[in-house]
Amino acid sequence: ERERLLPYFVTLAQLAHRTGAPYVRPVWWQHPRDRALRDCEDAFLLGDALLVAPVLEEGVRRRAVRLPRGRWYDTATGRAYEGPGTVHVEAPLSRIPVLVRAGAALPVRGDGGETELEVWAPAAGRTGSGLVIADAGDGWERSEPERFTVLLRGGKPVVGRGNGEPVGYPVRVRT
Protein backbone atom coordinates (compact mmCIF):
# COMPACT_ATOMS: atom_id res chain seq x y z
CA GLU A 1 0.00 0.00 0.00
CA ARG A 2 2.90 2.32 0.74
CA GLU A 3 4.25 1.82 -2.79
CA ARG A 4 0.79 2.36 -4.31
CA LEU A 5 0.40 5.63 -2.36
CA LEU A 6 3.91 6.88 -3.21
CA PRO A 7 2.68 9.67 -5.58
CA TYR A 8 0.38 10.89 -2.77
CA PHE A 9 3.29 10.84 -0.30
CA VAL A 10 5.46 12.82 -2.76
CA THR A 11 2.65 15.37 -3.10
CA LEU A 12 2.38 15.61 0.71
CA ALA A 13 6.16 16.05 0.98
CA GLN A 14 6.07 18.90 -1.53
CA LEU A 15 3.17 20.52 0.34
CA ALA A 16 5.04 20.20 3.63
CA HIS A 17 8.08 21.86 2.06
CA ARG A 18 6.06 24.69 0.49
CA THR A 19 3.48 25.37 3.20
CA GLY A 20 4.66 23.72 6.41
CA ALA A 21 1.50 21.57 6.57
CA PRO A 22 2.43 18.20 8.09
CA TYR A 23 1.75 14.87 6.35
CA VAL A 24 0.06 13.52 9.47
CA ARG A 25 -2.62 15.81 10.84
CA PRO A 26 -5.06 15.62 13.73
CA VAL A 27 -8.63 14.77 12.70
CA TRP A 28 -9.71 18.26 13.76
CA TRP A 29 -7.27 19.87 11.26
CA GLN A 30 -10.02 21.44 9.12
CA HIS A 31 -12.56 21.73 11.98
CA PRO A 32 -10.63 23.02 15.01
CA ARG A 33 -13.77 24.04 16.92
CA ASP A 34 -15.32 20.54 16.81
CA ARG A 35 -14.70 19.43 20.41
CA ALA A 36 -15.41 15.76 19.68
CA LEU A 37 -12.72 15.76 16.98
CA ARG A 38 -10.25 17.51 19.28
CA ASP A 39 -10.70 14.71 21.82
CA CYS A 40 -9.82 12.02 19.24
CA GLU A 41 -6.35 10.69 20.06
CA ASP A 42 -6.28 7.36 18.23
CA ALA A 43 -6.91 8.33 14.58
CA PHE A 44 -5.31 10.84 12.22
CA LEU A 45 -5.53 12.39 8.79
CA LEU A 46 -2.89 11.58 6.21
CA GLY A 47 -3.04 14.77 4.18
CA ASP A 48 -6.60 16.03 3.79
CA ALA A 49 -7.94 12.98 1.97
CA LEU A 50 -7.24 9.93 4.14
CA LEU A 51 -8.41 9.23 7.68
CA VAL A 52 -6.39 6.42 9.30
CA ALA A 53 -7.93 4.67 12.30
CA PRO A 54 -5.52 2.02 13.64
CA VAL A 55 -6.49 -0.50 16.26
CA LEU A 56 -4.44 0.05 19.40
CA GLU A 57 -5.85 -2.70 21.61
CA GLU A 58 -5.19 -6.40 21.40
CA GLY A 59 -8.05 -8.56 20.15
CA VAL A 60 -10.17 -5.70 18.77
CA ARG A 61 -11.68 -6.44 15.32
CA ARG A 62 -14.11 -3.51 15.06
CA ARG A 63 -13.58 0.05 16.15
CA ALA A 64 -15.36 3.36 16.53
CA VAL A 65 -14.16 6.23 14.36
CA ARG A 66 -15.14 9.87 14.86
CA LEU A 67 -15.64 11.43 11.43
CA PRO A 68 -15.24 15.07 10.47
CA ARG A 69 -18.08 16.68 8.51
CA GLY A 70 -18.84 15.25 5.09
CA ARG A 71 -19.03 11.85 3.43
CA TRP A 72 -16.24 9.32 3.96
CA TYR A 73 -15.69 5.97 2.22
CA ASP A 74 -14.10 2.87 3.73
CA THR A 75 -11.28 2.17 1.25
CA ALA A 76 -11.58 -1.61 1.70
CA THR A 77 -15.34 -2.00 1.37
CA GLY A 78 -16.43 1.19 -0.42
CA ARG A 79 -19.14 1.72 2.19
CA ALA A 80 -20.08 5.39 2.64
CA TYR A 81 -20.44 7.05 6.04
CA GLU A 82 -21.72 10.54 6.82
CA GLY A 83 -19.99 12.84 9.29
CA PRO A 84 -19.86 14.46 11.66
CA GLY A 85 -20.49 11.56 13.93
CA THR A 86 -19.12 8.29 15.17
CA VAL A 87 -19.25 5.16 13.02
CA HIS A 88 -18.07 1.61 13.59
CA VAL A 89 -15.77 0.01 10.99
CA GLU A 90 -14.39 -3.47 10.62
CA ALA A 91 -10.76 -3.79 11.68
CA PRO A 92 -9.50 -7.27 10.81
CA LEU A 93 -5.89 -8.18 11.50
CA SER A 94 -5.19 -8.03 7.75
CA ARG A 95 -5.63 -4.25 7.41
CA ILE A 96 -5.69 -0.91 9.15
CA PRO A 97 -9.02 0.89 8.70
CA VAL A 98 -8.60 3.80 6.28
CA LEU A 99 -11.38 6.10 5.11
CA VAL A 100 -11.16 8.53 2.19
CA ARG A 101 -12.92 11.86 1.88
CA ALA A 102 -15.71 11.89 -0.72
CA GLY A 103 -14.64 13.74 -3.86
CA ALA A 104 -10.95 12.98 -3.38
CA ALA A 105 -8.74 12.51 -6.43
CA LEU A 106 -5.68 10.73 -5.01
CA PRO A 107 -2.50 10.35 -7.04
CA VAL A 108 -1.51 6.67 -6.80
CA ARG A 109 0.84 4.31 -8.59
CA GLY A 110 -1.01 2.22 -11.18
CA ASP A 111 -0.36 -1.42 -12.01
CA GLY A 112 2.22 -0.42 -14.65
CA GLY A 113 4.04 1.94 -12.29
CA GLU A 114 2.59 5.14 -13.80
CA THR A 115 0.77 7.75 -11.75
CA GLU A 116 -3.00 7.62 -12.00
CA LEU A 117 -5.84 9.36 -10.20
CA GLU A 118 -7.98 7.26 -7.88
CA VAL A 119 -11.29 9.10 -7.63
CA TRP A 120 -14.02 8.76 -5.01
CA ALA A 121 -17.45 10.20 -5.85
CA PRO A 122 -18.42 13.41 -4.11
CA ALA A 123 -21.74 13.56 -2.29
CA ALA A 124 -24.70 14.79 -4.35
CA GLY A 125 -24.54 18.55 -4.82
CA ARG A 126 -20.91 18.69 -3.71
CA THR A 127 -17.59 18.78 -5.55
CA GLY A 128 -14.20 17.35 -4.75
CA SER A 129 -10.61 17.98 -5.64
CA GLY A 130 -7.15 16.56 -5.87
CA LEU A 131 -3.59 17.72 -6.21
CA VAL A 132 -0.52 16.19 -7.79
CA ILE A 133 2.95 17.59 -7.28
CA ALA A 134 5.27 15.21 -9.10
CA ASP A 135 8.77 14.36 -7.97
CA ALA A 136 11.13 16.65 -9.85
CA GLY A 137 13.70 13.87 -10.07
CA ASP A 138 17.05 15.36 -9.12
CA GLY A 139 15.63 17.62 -6.42
CA TRP A 140 16.82 20.86 -8.00
CA GLU A 141 13.80 21.59 -10.14
CA ARG A 142 10.48 22.67 -8.67
CA SER A 143 7.41 20.82 -9.96
CA GLU A 144 4.26 22.84 -10.49
CA PRO A 145 1.13 21.71 -8.66
CA GLU A 146 -1.53 20.14 -10.86
CA ARG A 147 -5.04 20.79 -9.49
CA PHE A 148 -8.07 18.66 -10.30
CA THR A 149 -11.77 18.99 -9.64
CA VAL A 150 -14.27 16.17 -9.22
CA LEU A 151 -17.92 16.73 -10.17
CA LEU A 152 -20.94 14.47 -10.45
CA ARG A 153 -22.47 14.36 -13.94
CA GLY A 154 -25.28 11.95 -14.56
CA GLY A 155 -24.52 10.35 -11.20
CA LYS A 156 -20.91 9.57 -12.16
CA PRO A 157 -17.74 11.35 -11.03
CA VAL A 158 -15.99 13.38 -13.72
CA VAL A 159 -12.46 14.71 -13.27
CA GLY A 160 -11.21 17.92 -14.82
CA ARG A 161 -8.29 20.29 -14.47
CA GLY A 162 -8.79 23.69 -12.96
CA ASN A 163 -7.33 25.28 -16.11
CA GLY A 164 -9.54 23.30 -18.52
CA GLU A 165 -6.68 21.25 -20.02
CA PRO A 166 -6.96 17.46 -20.39
CA VAL A 167 -6.47 15.49 -17.14
CA GLY A 168 -3.29 13.82 -18.43
CA TYR A 169 -3.49 10.84 -16.06
CA PRO A 170 -5.46 7.62 -16.19
CA VAL A 171 -8.51 7.92 -13.92
CA ARG A 172 -9.85 5.02 -11.85
CA VAL A 173 -13.21 5.64 -10.22
CA ARG A 174 -13.70 3.80 -6.94
CA THR A 175 -17.15 2.95 -5.65
Side-chain angles (χ1 to χ4, degrees):
E1 189 65 1
R2 181 183 65 81
E3 288 297 319
R4 192 179 77 80
L5 288 173
L6 191 59
Y8 185 57
F9 292 139
V10 168
T11 296
L12 292 177
Q14 290 289 335
L15 280 174
H17 174 71
R18 295 168 191 218
T19 69
Y23 293 41
V24 176
R25 304 165 184 177
V27 293
W28 54 262
W29 184 256
Q30 291 181 328
H31 307 283
R33 291 193 171 107
D34 185 332
R35 191 79 211 146
L37 291 176
R38 290 187 71 82
D39 292 339
C40 179
E41 296 180 352
D42 64 350
F44 59 90
L45 292 173
L46 186 56
D48 286 335
L50 299 176
L51 192 158
V52 182
V55 171
L56 303 176
E57 298 174 23
E58 187 175 346
V60 173
R61 301 293 180 267
R62 186 172 171 79
R63 67 153 293 164
V65 180
R66 178 68 186 182
L67 297 178
R69 189 175 331 139
R71 178 172 291 166
W72 294 83
Y73 294 100
D74 183 319
T75 59
T77 67
R79 182 174 175 189
Y81 297 97
E82 297 296 329
T86 301
V87 299
H88 290 84
V89 297
E90 298 300 317
L93 284 173
S94 59
R95 71 175 178 92
I96 296 171
V98 176
L99 293 107
V100 63
R101 186 181 305 276
L106 289 175
V108 297
R109 179 173 282 163
D111 293 335
E114 76 288 347
T115 297
E116 64 183 30
L117 295 177
E118 182 176 274
V119 176
W120 296 81
R126 305 292 306 226
T127 62
S129 63
L131 180 69
V132 177
I133 306 176
D135 186 354
D138 63 10
W140 294 104
E141 304 243 350
R142 184 174 171 135
S143 297
E144 289 301 314
E146 300 176 84
R147 298 180 193 288
F148 300 93
T149 57
V150 182
L151 308 168
L152 278 182
R153 284 205 186 116
K156 296 185 180 187
V158 176
V159 179
R161 281 189 182 256
N163 61 9
E165 292 181 8
V167 172
Y169 294 99
V171 174
R172 185 168 28 109
V173 176
R174 295 284 306 262
T175 55

